[in-house]
Amino acid sequence: MTNKIQKIMKYIKFIYITLLFVGAVEAQEETISKAEAVQMALENNYGIKIADNNLKISENNKSIYNSGFLPTLTGNAGATYNLDNSEVTFLPRLMLDPITANGAESSRYNASMNLNYTLFDGLGRRYNYKQLKEQYNLTELQARETIENTLLQLFGVYYNVAKLSEDVSLMNQSLKISKDRLERVQYQFEYGQINKLAVLNAEVDVNNDSINLLNTQQLLANSKRDLYVVLGKTEVPNFSVDTLVTFSLQSDKTTLFEKVKANNVTLQQLEKNILISDFQLKSNKSGYLPSIGLTGTYGWNKNNNNSTSQVTTSVNTGLSGGINLTWNIFDGGSTRTRVQNAKINVDTQRLQKQQVELEVNRDFNNAYDDYLNKLFILQTQEKNVQTNTDNFNRTEERFKLGQITSIEFRQAQLNLINAKNAKNSAKYDAKLAELEVLQVSGDLLNTDF
């Protein structure tokens, strides 16, 4: 062998040892299934955690303690101290001597409990309470939308990891074929059957396949880091994923469209917004009606008077209660303005729903047609892989017999690799298109991934 060929062989051995090491590491990696990835995202994804906190706040807001239906009870207490110089002069007819007191002390103490309860406020708090409940339902839908979007993001990255994993496997196969070819043409060159150009071409192909493999491995490592971000994990990614893809969409287009109208999360949120706006309108109308309230007080008062007073100490305790009615007969038109604006807001919410219904219908039709197209492309690519596999096998046999050139063999090899790559891309594209259809139809969270 020439020195150059020996260097090539050493380089090939280095690549071979490196790939064996990578294969050993991959064998130790844990496999994250799709179900496990979903569970990790639901537990650790920061967007989902934030949505859960918002839901907890909304649950607190719809509590009876935030409704205005419960009474209020307040306590008050106070103390006053006086130090006075006093001079008291009586009426002449009383025939009493004046009284002078320097540094006379007096004090007063009081304590009370006050109870207030609104019997009727024009039904305002009733509709406010209903509004808070619907706001909680809306927050639930917003949390569901966050989960759906996170799952779409998750599987976008998950299937990218799966595709790149299969790409690495294909690159390994291609590199092995190129190394075998290089070894064969080296022997042929040594025995004078071919010229040096064939060896150089085989060497270039080995180098290109090695570079492609290393680049694909780097893309795979980057994609695994992206997946860990979605999963909310911080450790160094060392895992593999499930590359098996199954399609679960079985309903026909008409059935799916009925699900869109009933279950689409965007349309359901708009329904809640209409209800909330309607309750706000009714709450504003309560400003036209009177409010009736109950008050009750239990009080204690003690006075320590100075020496100029005829009564030195007095203590009073008592219970009082009352009912009051307040009717804002005319407030300058502010209630009327609020009611008119609330009516406009209800109308606006209904118009927005009509607009979004058109957009959702469009999105569903686009997603469904895209899914069918990608399924057809997948089926075509699978046939294309079979055709290119048969062509490569025949080409390889003819190459071993010396009936075709290495360039023709390389072209058949590239055609097969490209066909397998295209099939893998079509497989994951079709699966993601299916998930888009399920998300629009509101059935994504009911799917067995």
Side-chain angles (χ1 to χ4, degrees):
M1 293 185 184
T2 64
N3 290 333
K4 192 165 187 179
I5 294 177
Q6 288 177 348
K7 291 180 180 179
I8 294 172
M9 293 303 297
K10 289 181 180 179
Y11 177 73
I12 293 173
K13 289 179 180 178
F14 170 75
I15 292 293
Y16 181 71
I17 293 173
T18 301
L19 296 178
L20 284 178
F21 174 75
V22 171
V25 172
E26 289 178 349
Q28 299 174 0
E29 293 176 342
E30 65 167 327
T31 299
I32 299 179
S33 67
K34 292 181 279 289
E36 290 172 337
V38 171
Q39 185 66 28
M40 290 180 189
L42 293 176
E43 292 176 355
N44 303 319
N45 182 268
Y46 289 103
I48 293 178
K49 287 183 177 180
I50 292 172
D52 185 58
N53 284 340
N54 291 334
L55 186 61
K56 290 177 181 177
I57 292 174
S58 186
E59 185 175 11
N60 290 334
N61 287 338
K62 76 179 182 73
S63 167
I64 189 68
Y65 299 108
N66 192 44
S67 65
F69 279 105
L70 298 179
T72 61
L73 183 64
T74 58
N76 298 295
T80 303
Y81 173 78
N82 295 323
L83 182 62
D84 302 316
N85 295 324
S86 303
E87 182 177 347
V88 179
T89 302
F90 297 99
L91 294 173
R93 61 184 176 81
L94 296 177
M95 295 181 296
L96 296 174
D97 296 331
I99 299 174
T100 301
N102 294 322
E105 295 181 350
S106 63
S107 58
R108 296 179 180 85
Y109 304 95
N110 65 86
S112 64
M113 298 291 291
N114 301 302
L115 178 69
N116 290 278
Y117 182 66
T118 301
L119 289 174
F120 179 76
D121 67 342
L123 300 178
R125 61 182 174 179
R126 176 190 177 193
Y127 292 118
N128 286 336
Y129 189 39
K130 289 185 176 182
Q131 187 177 348
L132 291 173
K133 287 185 175 180
E134 291 302 329
Q135 187 65 50
Y136 172 78
N137 295 333
L138 176 62
T139 308
E140 274 190 325
L141 293 172
Q142 291 170 344
R144 174 187 150 193
E145 184 179 33
T146 299
I147 293 173
E148 289 183 357
N149 292 335
T150 301
L151 290 182
L152 287 179
Q153 181 189 12
L154 166 67
F155 281 108
V157 183
Y158 186 94
Y159 287 132
N160 190 45
V161 173
K163 179 186 179 302
L164 289 170
S165 299
E166 293 191 324
D167 288 347
V168 168
S169 178
L170 288 175
M171 293 298 102
N172 275 316
Q173 295 174 20
S174 180
L175 180 59
K176 183 180 182 302
I177 292 171
S178 296
K179 288 189 297 182
D180 292 342
R181 173 185 154 212
L182 176 60
E183 185 177 358
R184 177 177 293 277
V185 297
Q186 284 170 347
Y187 287 126
Q188 291 174 337
F189 175 72
E190 289 178 357
Y191 289 101
Q193 296 177 355
I194 58 174
N195 57 29
K196 185 64 177 292
L197 180 61
V199 177
L200 294 176
N201 286 335
E203 176 189 350
V204 170
D205 292 339
V206 168
N207 291 336
N208 287 335
D209 287 349
S210 300
I211 292 171
N212 290 336
L213 174 59
L214 293 175
N215 287 336
T216 306
Q217 287 174 332
Q218 181 61 53
L219 291 175
L220 176 59
N222 294 343
S223 187
K224 285 184 176 182
R225 296 187 189 99
D226 292 338
L227 180 58
Y228 259 30
V229 170
V230 180
L231 296 178
K233 298 175 72 68
T234 57
E235 58 265 28
V236 177
N238 183 28
F239 64 92
S240 59
V241 298
D242 183 8
T243 59
L244 177 66
V245 171
T246 56
F247 296 94
S248 56
L249 189 60
Q250 298 178 348
S251 303
D252 57 31
K253 189 174 183 179
T254 302
T255 303
L256 284 171
F257 186 68
E258 292 301 319
K259 290 184 177 181
V260 171
K261 293 187 288 185
N263 301 326
N264 181 272
V265 68
T266 303
L267 295 179
Q268 288 183 337
Q269 288 182 67
L270 288 170
E271 286 285 353
K272 295 303 178 186
N273 282 326
I274 292 174
L275 276 176
I276 290 171
S277 298
D278 188 57
F279 286 139
Q280 183 62 52
L281 170 61
K282 293 176 179 178
S283 176
N284 290 336
K285 286 183 177 179
S286 68
Y288 292 129
L289 300 176
S291 61
I292 302 173
L294 291 177
T295 61
T297 302
Y298 178 80
W300 173 84
N301 294 275
K302 180 179 180 180
N303 295 326
N304 294 320
N305 301 316
N306 58 35
S307 58
T308 61
S309 175
Q310 293 182 354
V311 179
T312 58
T313 301
S314 64
V315 177
N316 297 317
T317 58
L319 180 66
S320 63
I323 185 170
N324 58 69
L325 182 145
T326 303
W327 196 341
N328 196 347
I329 297 175
F330 182 70
D331 61 358
S334 59
T335 299
R336 179 177 180 274
T337 301
R338 288 195 300 270
V339 170
Q340 288 179 330
N341 290 340
K343 288 180 179 178
I344 296 172
N345 190 46
V346 171
D347 185 57
T348 300
Q349 295 290 341
R350 291 196 174 101
L351 292 174
Q352 287 179 343
K353 183 187 175 185
Q354 293 173 5
Q355 178 186 4
V356 173
E357 282 176 341
L358 292 176
E359 295 173 354
V360 169
N361 292 346
R362 175 205 62 194
D363 293 343
F364 169 75
N365 285 299
N366 290 346
Y368 190 82
D369 290 347
D370 184 57
Y371 169 65
L372 294 181
N373 289 338
K374 285 186 167 62
L375 275 183
F376 175 78
I377 292 172
L378 173 59
Q379 295 169 357
T380 304
Q381 293 295 351
E382 288 174 343
K383 295 177 182 178
N384 196 27
V385 168
Q386 185 60 49
T387 301
N388 278 279
T389 300
D390 295 339
N391 178 64
F392 175 77
N393 292 335
R394 293 190 182 95
T395 303
E396 187 177 29
E397 292 175 1
R398 296 182 62 191
F399 176 70
K400 291 178 180 178
L401 295 173
Q403 296 177 352
I404 61 172
T405 65
S406 62
I407 294 177
E408 292 174 305
F409 175 77
R410 175 64 174 176
Q411 187 60 51
Q413 177 189 359
L414 291 177
N415 288 342
L416 178 59
I417 295 299
N418 291 336
K420 289 183 175 179
N421 271 327
K423 188 207 77 170
N424 289 337
S425 296
K427 175 175 66 173
Y428 296 116
D429 288 344
K431 184 59 181 179
L432 291 174
E434 181 192 57
L435 295 179
E436 289 281 354
V437 174
L438 291 170
Q439 195 269 341
V440 176
S441 64
D443 218 17
L444 182 62
L445 301 184
N446 301 323
T447 302
D448 185 7
F449 299 103

